[in-house]
Amino acid sequence: MSSSSVEYAPEYAVETKGLSKTYRGNSRQPPNEALRDISLAIPRGSFFGLLGPNGAGKSTFINVLAGLVNKTAGEASICGHDIVTGMRAARRAIGVVPQELNIDPFFTPRELLEVQAGLYGVPKAARRSDEILDLVELGDKANAYTRTLSGGMRRRLLVAKAMVHSPEVLVLDEPTAGVDIDLRRRLWVAVRELNARGTTILLTTHYLEEAQAMCDRVAIIDEGNLIACETTEALLQRIDSKEMTVTVDAEIGEIPPELDDYSPQLVNGRSLVFRYPPSKVNSGEILSAVTGAGLTITDLNTREAELEDIFLRLTHRETAGR
């Protein structure tokens, strides 16, 4: 086979260079810079998290990629297709699951997927409506009116709707907002399966523990600026901090002098809370110091740095009690 007949597969599913968007102002409001010089590269096949506070620019970024909002400056491509010069190919390469439940209540799930496939020009012989419904666990509801579906089922139906044209990139914009725990779990099972099949997932969510568990890479946007973009593991390592709570078998009136080097906090008379950098202090030496002070340990809890800690630090937001 000649090299010219081999299909080109770009390294990145989504790539932006200097992407900016400014909404025009008016007599009552000044112009709004929703995106400022965003340069971002999302590897093919990754599970990528896009995080940020409300109004940070996440939805604008997604809408620019989907062709719903025109960029002001910069470049953006989806699977190698420029969103302007290669608009049709770029649109075919992306599927967006919006926050809003925008589903016609008088269609059945199968009818809805068939109509969506027709809008994308998918030939009838190539349509996979039933296969996609089975993938999101809605095969048994294929002929039910969508108005009879629960909120969680409608969320999964939106995922199915976005998949009818087999996009290489699937964007999930706050997909689990208002969804109960069980339905959230089932939705993630379906999305993980799509990712395992090679679909690149771009997720925005306010559930940071969700992003930490699901995403292999994370970007954080704040006030239109890209302030971090790393693997989830590397991002977590930015905070060299660990918390360990040691509970002893009897109340102690004051902290033993043997523990002064670790500056613990005494809570409720029986619990010692140690906060330390794991790169410099070993938890084992703290435990040895506790027992060396004549204390008997009855319980032990540790807390590692979480994505929420990184998010709060980078966006200069704090929560009570931290």
Side-chain angles (χ1 to χ4, degrees):
M1 181 181 294
S2 65
S3 58
S4 60
S5 63
V6 177
E7 185 177 354
Y8 170 66
E11 180 181 359
Y12 299 114
V14 175
E15 188 172 14
T16 67
K17 297 177 181 178
L19 186 65
S20 300
K21 173 62 184 178
T22 300
Y23 291 100
R24 293 180 180 176
N26 53 40
S27 58
R28 290 172 295 180
Q29 291 182 325
N32 174 27
E33 289 185 278
L35 296 175
R36 297 187 181 96
D37 196 28
I38 302 293
S39 295
L40 190 63
I42 300 177
R44 294 171 65 92
S46 65
F47 204 125
F48 194 94
L50 183 64
L51 310 181
N54 287 330
K58 303 186 301 297
S59 292
T60 297
F61 182 81
I62 289 171
N63 288 335
V64 169
L65 294 182
L68 301 176
V69 170
N70 292 328
K71 61 185 174 66
T72 302
E75 302 175 8
S77 63
I78 302 169
C79 298
H81 307 293
D82 186 276
I83 62 170
V84 176
T85 60
M87 180 185 66
R88 289 183 179 276
R91 298 260 182 105
R92 284 196 297 268
I94 191 171
V96 179
V97 181
Q99 295 183 40
E100 300 79 15
L101 293 173
N102 56 350
I103 296 175
D104 192 314
F106 298 102
F107 279 93
T108 68
R110 181 182 286 119
E111 289 171 341
L112 190 68
L113 265 58
E114 287 293 309
V115 169
Q116 186 76 357
L119 292 174
Y120 272 94
V122 180
K124 286 190 176 182
R127 296 178 188 176
R128 304 179 297 117
S129 298
D130 289 335
E131 177 187 340
I132 294 171
L133 288 173
D134 286 338
L135 180 63
V136 297
E137 298 186 12
L138 288 176
D140 59 337
K141 301 292 184 181
N143 297 312
Y145 285 118
T146 55
R147 64 177 180 269
T148 67
L149 302 181
S150 68
M153 290 178 180
R154 294 182 190 188
R155 287 281 180 197
R156 282 181 278 143
L157 183 55
L158 284 177
V159 174
K161 183 180 174 184
M163 290 300 300
V164 297
H165 58 296
S166 302
E168 296 179 69
V169 179
L170 180 65
V171 178
L172 304 172
D173 192 5
E174 298 288 345
T176 57
V179 176
D180 67 43
I181 294 174
D182 181 57
L183 291 175
R184 185 182 301 174
R185 178 190 60 79
R186 295 168 72 177
L187 176 63
W188 287 133
V189 168
V191 173
R192 281 188 185 276
E193 175 62 24
L194 289 171
N195 184 237
R197 294 185 179 193
T199 302
T200 302
I201 307 296
L202 172 56
L203 167 70
T204 76
T205 180
H206 282 105
Y207 297 108
L208 299 186
E209 71 281 2
E210 219 168 53
Q212 183 171 334
M214 302 290 291
C215 301
D216 47 62
R217 297 184 69 87
V218 170
I220 299 177
I221 291 180
D222 191 23
E223 297 181 347
N225 298 300
L226 181 65
I227 58 177
C229 181
E230 299 176 34
T231 65
T232 307
E233 182 181 0
L235 206 53
L236 290 171
Q237 289 175 353
R238 281 199 184 195
I239 292 186
D240 187 20
S241 175
K242 188 172 184 178
E243 180 178 289
M244 180 168 63
T245 301
V246 177
T247 303
V248 296
D249 65 345
E251 286 197 16
I252 53 178
E254 59 183 22
I255 297 172
E258 292 89 342
L259 303 179
D260 285 348
D261 288 345
Y262 305 104
S263 303
Q265 177 186 358
L266 182 60
V267 179
N268 297 327
R270 289 182 54 192
S271 295
L272 294 162
V273 180
F274 298 87
R275 296 180 178 88
Y276 58 97
S279 65
K280 299 177 181 178
V281 179
N282 187 295
S283 58
E285 65 184 71
I286 295 178
L287 296 177
S288 296
V290 172
T291 56
L295 302 176
T296 301
I297 299 172
T298 60
D299 196 14
L300 177 68
N301 286 293
T302 61
R303 178 183 175 276
E304 305 281 352
E306 297 176 349
L307 195 54
E308 182 178 355
D309 301 309
I310 305 291
F311 180 86
L312 294 172
R313 177 174 293 188
L314 292 177
T315 58
H316 307 292
R317 291 164 172 80
E318 299 295 336
T319 56
R322 294 220 177 151

